[in-house]
């Protein structure tokens, strides 16, 4: 993927990266750094508002560009940039901008970064709310049709979880050539200096309050799990961190019960290393969990569910404990909190899990070889993806004309608006 000029990657972002607010932000930053390390120039473009917690991309040499939805100004801009590759941050951005990229720069490699499988997350949430198991009907939702169609229309899709790699190939029959396993990528997985068992106290849970699985976990803790833990550990506190806490969350703050809503954590390392145990009771969700990655990085054993540990555990087990109901989660949390030897073994397992699963050096060569191979044989690669050609033929026309209609309607409204 080399040329005489510095290759250019444009990322069309759903939101501006917030690595201290969400796993999605952390992952996006790692992808940016992967391309920079390979000598690429990177421009991040988004129609989202500039968020207060966003990472200042200019500090690592990344260009920033504000774009508009349903506006042909994007077409001219990206044509002038002539990128070698474009990453769509979630399938909704491919729907919005995919046809524009193909039209303006057809030779650019088009990559979809799923973040996590939205269809799986929705299927699990809706099934959980109905009290039933996830079945084929739940997985084959309208959202799934849109997401899988976007995968086919792209040249390659980054998939964060091995479980989701299997789901896409086995349930949705997506060809392996369109998928690239790309988990969290850590440049340094060596354990640093971290407070030991006796230097830590209390529990922590962390996660963006806007994310439905995180909000449900907070409610589950408040209503059922934490009272059971507090009964056994009356002096313990649960420190709850997360970006954008709504009033319904801050209203749960209760000093007497040790249930403390802390809000946004400016330094995840600091708050995570103060806690003895991380709690992540996730009843539904998808992808990999940034909070559990951080727990491993900063030496904090965790208690989570099967869904929380999905795609992250190794054959050696989990760096903490896994439980799936209130009573079992509370018992596991109390046991881990009170047993130094068990806690220390879990901490060490967290470090080895990081190295085994998320080391950049483990995945970098494989990812880059797949990208390079597709880029070099792009025309042939696309011809072998007939379903993608078919979907682009039909879908791009519908989204193209819808986008052009919205743009024309907006301009007409502006012209007819009274002074």
């Amino acid at each position: 993927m080399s040329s005489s000029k510095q290759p250019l990657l444009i990322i069309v972002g759903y939101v501006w990266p917030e690595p201290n607010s969400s796993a999605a932000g952390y992952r996006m930053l790692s992808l940016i750094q992967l391309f920079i390390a390979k000598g690429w120039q990177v421009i991040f473009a988004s129609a989202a508002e500039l968020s207060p917690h966003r990472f200042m991309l200019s500090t690592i040499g990344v260009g920033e560009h504000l774009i508009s939805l349903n506006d042909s100004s994007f077409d001219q801009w990206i044509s002038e940039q002539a990128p070698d590759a474009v990453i769509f941050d979630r399938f909704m951005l491919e729907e919005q901008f995919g046809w524009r990229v193909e039209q303006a720069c057809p030779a650019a490699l088009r990559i979809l970064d799923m973040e996590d499988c939205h269809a799986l997350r929705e299927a699990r949430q809706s099934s959980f709310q109905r009290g039933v198991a996830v079945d084929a009907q739940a997985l084959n939702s309208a959202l799934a049709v849109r997401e899988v169609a976007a995968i086919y229309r792209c040249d390659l899709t980054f998939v964060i979880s091995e479980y989701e790699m299997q789901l896409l190939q086995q349930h949705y029959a997506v060809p392996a050539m369109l998928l690239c396993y790309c988990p969290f990528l850590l440049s340094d997985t060596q354990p640093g200096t971290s407070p030991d068992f006796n230097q830590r106290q209390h529990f922590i849970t962390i996660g963006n309050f806007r994310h439905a699985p995180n909000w449900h976990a907070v409610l589950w803790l408040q209503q059922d799990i934490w009272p059971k833990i507090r009964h056994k550990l009356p002096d313990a506190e649960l420190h709850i961190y997360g970006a954008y806490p709504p009033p319904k969350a801050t209203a749960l703050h209760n000093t007497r019960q040790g249930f403390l809503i802390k809000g946004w954590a400016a330094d995840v390392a600091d708050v995570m290393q103060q806690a003895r145990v991380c709690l992540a009771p996730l009843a539904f969700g998808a992808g990999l969990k940034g909070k559990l990655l951080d727990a491993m990085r900063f030496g904090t054993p965790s208690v989570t569910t099967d869904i929380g540990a999905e795609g992250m555990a190794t054959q050696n087990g989990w760096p903490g404990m896994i439980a799936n109901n209130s009573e079992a989660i509370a018992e596991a949390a109390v046991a881990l909190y009170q047993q130094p030897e068990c806690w220390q073994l879990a901490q060490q397992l967290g470090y080895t899990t990081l190295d085994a699963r998320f080391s950049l050096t483990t995945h970098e060569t494989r990812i880059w070889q797949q990208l390079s191979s597709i880029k070099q044989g792009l025309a042939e690669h696309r011809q072998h993806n007939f379903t993608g050609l078919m979907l682009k033929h039909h879908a791009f026309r519908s989204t193209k004309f819808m986008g052009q209609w919205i743009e024309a309607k907006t301009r007409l409204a502006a012209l007819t608006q009274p002074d």
Side-chain angles (χ1 to χ4, degrees):
M1 297 175 74
S2 61
S3 64
S4 57
K5 69 178 181 65
Q6 185 180 24
L8 172 64
L9 168 70
I10 289 180
I11 301 172
V12 184
Y14 182 68
V15 294
W16 297 94
E18 296 186 16
N20 287 338
S21 299
S22 70
Y26 180 90
R27 170 183 170 73
M28 178 53 69
L29 190 59
S30 71
L31 288 178
I32 290 171
Q33 292 169 331
L34 173 66
F35 277 83
I36 290 175
K38 291 295 183 179
W40 283 57
Q41 177 188 357
V42 179
I43 298 175
F44 193 95
S46 179
E49 293 184 3
L50 298 175
S51 52
H53 303 317
R54 71 188 182 98
F55 182 84
M56 301 305 293
L57 293 169
S58 59
T59 61
I60 57 172
V62 174
E64 297 179 342
H65 185 76
L66 288 170
I67 55 178
S68 299
L69 300 175
N70 304 304
D71 195 312
S72 57
S73 62
F74 174 86
D75 307 2
Q76 181 178 351
W77 173 75
I78 200 165
S79 178
E80 292 171 351
Q81 301 304 313
D84 296 272
V86 176
I87 291 180
F88 302 104
D89 174 25
R90 301 171 176 85
F91 77 91
M92 300 84 79
L93 274 295
E94 189 280 335
E95 290 180 329
Q96 183 71 228
F97 293 98
W99 68 270
R100 294 184 182 275
V101 171
E102 184 188 44
Q103 182 176 274
C105 38
L109 183 67
R110 295 191 293 273
I111 303 169
L112 172 63
D113 182 30
M114 294 182 76
E115 296 293 354
D116 62 22
C117 182
H118 294 70
L120 176 61
R121 176 152 44 90
E122 181 196 55
R124 284 175 167 168
Q125 183 173 353
S126 63
S127 298
F128 173 80
Q129 291 169 341
R130 291 182 288 118
V132 299
V134 176
D135 58 13
Q137 183 177 359
L139 288 170
N140 296 344
S141 64
L143 187 71
V145 171
R146 291 171 56 196
E147 189 167 29
V148 174
I151 292 172
Y152 272 103
R153 288 193 297 264
C154 288
D155 300 312
L156 189 66
T157 292
F158 288 148
V159 184
I160 197 170
S161 164
E162 287 180 330
Y163 178 87
E164 292 171 13
M165 286 284 289
Q166 294 175 0
L167 178 74
L168 289 169
Q169 293 176 77
Q170 296 174 7
H171 180 80
Y172 296 112
V174 177
M177 72 173 191
L178 298 180
L179 306 174
C180 177
Y181 174 51
C182 185
F184 292 127
L185 302 172
L186 301 180
S187 57
D188 182 10
T189 57
Q190 296 304 308
T193 302
S194 182
D196 63 21
F197 179 88
N198 292 320
Q199 293 174 301
R200 297 168 178 248
Q201 61 179 344
H202 304 315
F203 295 83
I204 186 174
T205 189
I206 189 167
N208 193 319
F209 284 96
R210 291 177 177 175
H211 194 51
N214 292 339
W215 174 237
H216 176 268
V218 170
L219 291 178
W220 191 9
L221 283 162
Q222 190 265 341
Q223 295 167 3
D224 202 6
I225 299 171
W226 183 245
K228 290 179 171 61
I229 296 174
R230 181 80 168 183
H231 178 71
K232 298 286 185 64
L233 301 171
D235 295 325
E237 297 174 357
L238 174 58
H239 297 180
I240 302 159
Y241 291 91
Y244 308 107
K248 65 181 180 180
T250 54
L252 298 178
H253 183 90
N254 190 316
T255 304
R256 186 175 59 84
Q257 296 175 359
F259 196 85
L260 310 179
I261 306 295
K262 296 284 190 173
W264 186 66
D267 187 343
V268 175
D270 180 53
V271 297
M272 187 64 78
Q273 289 185 106
Q274 291 180 28
R276 187 176 292 176
V277 175
C278 174
L279 301 178
L282 298 166
F284 52 87
L288 302 182
K289 313 306 180 294
K291 59 178 70 61
L292 295 173
L293 181 82
D294 286 336
M296 294 182 211
R297 290 171 63 206
F298 303 120
T300 310
S302 60
V303 177
T304 190
T305 59
D306 285 326
I307 285 178
E310 184 178 87
M312 302 186 77
T314 67
Q315 294 180 344
N316 294 324
W318 183 252
M321 297 186 184
I322 296 175
N324 293 292
N325 62 66
S326 300
E327 190 69 39
I329 292 171
E331 289 180 1
V334 171
L336 196 55
Y337 194 86
Q338 292 182 319
Q339 299 176 18
E341 291 185 3
C342 179
W343 186 94
Q344 289 164 1
L345 288 173
Q347 184 187 63
Q348 291 303 314
L349 181 55
Y351 296 144
T352 58
T353 299
L354 286 179
D355 192 54
R357 278 207 167 271
F358 307 120
S359 170
L360 174 62
T361 56
T362 299
H363 301 287
E364 180 180 22
T365 300
R366 172 185 53 80
I367 293 169
W368 208 254
Q369 284 178 344
Q370 189 172 0
L371 281 169
S372 299
S373 176
I374 292 174
K375 181 64 174 172
Q376 290 167 7
L378 189 56
E380 183 179 2
H381 177 81
R382 288 174 175 172
Q383 289 304 313
H384 284 136
N385 178 19
F386 181 78
T387 301
L389 294 173
M390 180 174 60
L391 287 169
K392 282 186 284 188
H393 174 80
H394 293 287
F396 278 179
R397 277 159 177 73
S398 63
T399 54
K400 174 181 178 179
F401 294 134
M402 175 61 75
Q404 290 176 332
W405 178 79
I406 293 173
E407 182 178 4
K409 182 180 178 182
T410 303
R411 288 179 178 174
L412 181 61
L415 290 172
T416 58
Q417 190 173 17
D419 293 335

